[in-house]
Amino acid sequence: MPIVLSASIDAPSPRSVRACCMAATLAALCFMPSAAQAEETRITIGTASSAGVYHLAGRTLCRMLTTPCTAQTSDGSAENLANVREGAVSVALAQSDLQHYAVYGEEGFNEVGPDENLRSLFSLHGEPFTLVVRRDSGIRQFDDLHQRAVNVGNPGSGQRGTLMTLLDAKQWTLDDFSLANDLPADQQSLELCHGNVDAMVYTVGHPNDSVAQAIRLCDAMLVDVEGEEIERLVDELPYFTPATIPAGIYADDQPAVKTFGVRATLVASAQTDDELIYRLVSAVFDDLETLKAYHPAFDELTPELMISEGLSAPLHDGALRYYREQGWISDDEAIEEEVAEEAVEDSSEDNE
Ligand code: GLU
């Protein structure tokens, strides 16, 4: 005999609907995280233009996490550091030179002053300061840029910050160019191809789309950035190092290029939840080979390098916990970190 399942649905009384709704609302309220908790369970990573390596790095970090995570494009390092300061993103990528300026309130961060809450997590790939010129421009060294049309990078970008330091060292200003264009990285190559600028600069890991586009789509080439001012910058400033863009990565006949560079770093505010940072740092170091497989610029990464190079801001407590557990940082070094934290706080008091 077939079993007949019948369900009689009685229309609920308005009172029972109200009671039911109230119970459901209460239950939802009880289990709904508060705004502060909601922030702590989602990571937002500030990256840069989609034409660079930062955005790929941010998306890769998100993929490696089980925590909900968004990689957000931005104007670049300077904007990211401002966003971290304002709590608009949980973590962000930033060049080591700009990280240093943000910690100590120097250069572009002079007006806002030192960010005593800025913390570093680890560093990533090297970013050579890259000068790309149209071959027919005749520009073969940095000094040839005098009175030429140059894309100097959009405000908020790291390349603009590095260029400004270099210009200062040479006692140049933007007026030493006939035109200082400020297009972002994803638009500058076409500007070069169209002949509207003679050169563009980009502080970025290699290979990257923006440089590849310029070299492949129009007749552009990479130029060495050398000279006594560069040597002085590298000698005097801990966040600058000599850098080489390897031969043949954009074209078979592309020679190795000598320049100077910085390191991409990951930063957060001291206020970003320790547990969230601990989870992010663990996900990266527990599976570093996966991260390295995502981009050739990550090939050289080792834990030793990542927790020592380019980090001017004290380590974030969540990161420090993981590094101590791994035995990568001894208790003595952890105390030094605390002293570094106090030094940053003191230097910001000196500036008040
Ligand atoms: N270094 C650049 C900046 O800070 C971004 C490079 C990239 O997107 O990979 O703005």
Side-chain angles (χ1 to χ4, degrees):
M1 209 175 123
I3 301 173
V4 181
L5 290 178
S6 78
S8 79
I9 304 170
D10 296 329
S13 72
R15 236 169 88 192
S16 69
V17 168
R18 252 197 329 267
C20 190
C21 284
M22 269 172 65
T25 312
L26 275 176
L29 279 177
C30 289
F31 292 105
M32 200 192 303
S34 68
Q37 282 170 327
E39 266 168 29
E40 287 171 2
T41 52
R42 163 165 278 284
I43 293 189
T44 317
I45 305 180
T47 62
S49 145
S50 55
V53 181
Y54 281 16
H55 194 59
L56 177 132
R59 281 173 42 217
T60 306
L61 294 177
C62 279
R63 253 181 236 138
M64 294 176 77
L65 281 167
T66 47
T67 309
C69 178
T70 314
Q72 232 173 48
T73 54
S74 76
D75 287 342
S77 286
E79 190 194 37
N80 289 349
L81 287 157
N83 283 342
V84 166
R85 193 177 187 130
E86 286 156 17
V89 290
S90 353
V91 293
L93 284 128
Q95 292 178 194
S96 51
D97 49 349
L98 274 76
Q99 180 191 137
H100 186 96
Y101 303 147
V103 171
Y104 295 102
E106 293 169 4
E107 304 280 332
F109 298 86
N110 208 349
E111 268 178 32
V112 287
D115 182 357
E116 63 191 63
N117 280 324
L118 188 64
R119 295 292 178 269
S120 53
L121 274 55
F122 50 80
S123 59
L124 283 165
H125 55 288
E127 299 190 272
F129 178 76
T130 307
L131 173 58
V132 188
V133 305
R134 277 203 349 266
R135 203 178 288 271
D136 65 5
S137 68
I139 299 166
R140 295 296 177 264
Q141 55 177 352
F142 190 88
D143 285 358
D144 296 339
L145 293 178
H146 202 256
Q147 291 311 319
R148 304 302 298 267
V150 182
N151 196 74
V152 298
N154 56 296
S157 71
Q159 50 272 18
R160 193 177 176 112
T162 313
L163 176 69
M164 294 315 286
T165 306
L166 176 53
L167 293 185
D168 271 355
K170 295 182 78 66
Q171 298 186 327
W172 286 22
T173 67
L174 290 179
D175 290 338
D176 282 278
F177 302 129
S178 59
L179 172 74
N181 237 0
D182 48 18
L183 286 176
D186 54 351
Q187 291 170 36
Q188 59 181 354
S189 318
L190 285 182
E191 198 73 349
L192 192 79
C193 288
H194 291 149
N196 298 337
V197 289
D198 301 308
M200 64 186 218
V201 298
Y202 201 10
T203 313
V204 69
H206 293 277
N208 72 79
D209 287 350
S210 175
V211 173
Q213 209 181 29
I215 290 181
R216 291 193 192 128
L217 297 186
C218 54
D219 200 14
M221 61 186 277
L222 297 166
V223 169
D224 292 332
V225 183
E226 289 184 299
E228 62 176 281
E229 292 90 0
I230 311 286
E231 277 165 32
R232 198 154 31 86
L233 288 177
V234 167
D235 280 351
E236 289 174 5
L237 302 170
Y239 38 83
F240 287 136
T241 53
T244 303
I245 304 167
I249 57 172
Y250 290 105
D252 290 343
D253 60 349
Q254 171 239 313
V257 174
K258 287 210 183 102
T259 178
F260 70 109
V262 295
R263 200 153 269 288
T265 70
L266 206 65
V267 294
S269 161
Q271 259 119 42
T272 306
D273 184 43
D274 290 359
E275 182 57 34
L276 204 67
I277 297 296
Y278 177 81
R279 265 187 267 150
L280 170 63
V281 169
S282 320
V284 168
F285 288 101
D286 287 350
D287 198 5
L288 192 53
E289 292 310 310
T290 296
L291 172 69
K292 287 167 70 169
Y294 273 93
H295 196 279
F298 303 153
D299 273 355
E300 51 156 11
L301 297 182
T302 61
E304 197 186 5
L305 180 151
M306 293 168 76
I307 66 169
S308 60
E309 303 268 310
L311 308 177
S312 301
L315 288 171
H316 192 284
D317 283 348
L320 200 53
R321 182 176 136 209
Y322 182 84
Y323 303 152
R324 273 168 134 165
E325 280 172 10
Q326 299 301 309
W328 295 341
I329 285 201
S330 65
D331 285 344
D332 285 354
E333 283 163 322
I335 291 168
E336 277 172 31
E337 275 295 326
E338 276 157 29
V339 173
E341 243 171 74
E342 278 159 24
V344 170
E345 277 159 26
D346 288 350
S347 92
S348 72
E349 276 158 24
D350 290 348
N351 278 273
E352 275 160 12

